[in-house]
Amino acid sequence: LKRKYKLVGMPLVESGAKYKNPCKHGEKVELHTCVEEWANNTLVMRHRVFHKNGIEALEGFERRVWAVSAPDTAAGMRAMPVPQEIIDLFAD
């Protein structure tokens, strides 16, 4: 990704979670993650954590920015639209 798209990362710009049922230390859980939304230069990932018995423990999200190298900027990166080729990899 770095060579082809000059991707330097996907910085986290927003996140949130609803805690529904507590998990115990050492408990095995199941994590379900999907890309819920593509919005130009960002993507929203939805996460759900389940106890082994199927009860939902947590629902959360994170919004990340597609950031490419931009040596001419102070941060050294800038947000760019996510390439369609990448979006297509997540299609059903």
Side-chain angles (χ1 to χ4, degrees), residues 8 33 58-59 64:
V8 294
T33 297
L58 176 141
E59 180 181 5
R64 293 188 172 269

Side-chain angles (χ1 to χ4, degrees), residues 13-79:
V13 294
E14 182 182 7
S15 66
K18 292 179 187 174
Y19 298 92
K20 298 179 177 186
N21 291 290
C23 297
K24 296 176 186 167
H25 179 72
E27 177 183 0
K28 292 192 185 271
V29 296
E30 191 172 296
L31 172 64
H32 296 219
T33 297
C34 68
V35 177
E36 182 177 77
E37 175 187 337
W38 299 97
N40 193 28
N41 59 3
T42 67
L43 59 126
V44 175
M45 298 174 69
R46 179 71 52 190
H47 307 290
R48 295 174 74 197
V49 176
F50 294 89
H51 296 278
K52 280 294 199 181
N53 61 8
I55 294 174
E56 190 172 28
L58 176 141
E59 180 181 5
F61 78 96
E62 56 186 81
R63 182 176 302 275
R64 293 188 172 269
V65 174
W66 185 268
V68 298
S69 178
D72 58 322
T73 66
M77 66 178 129
R78 75 168 41 95

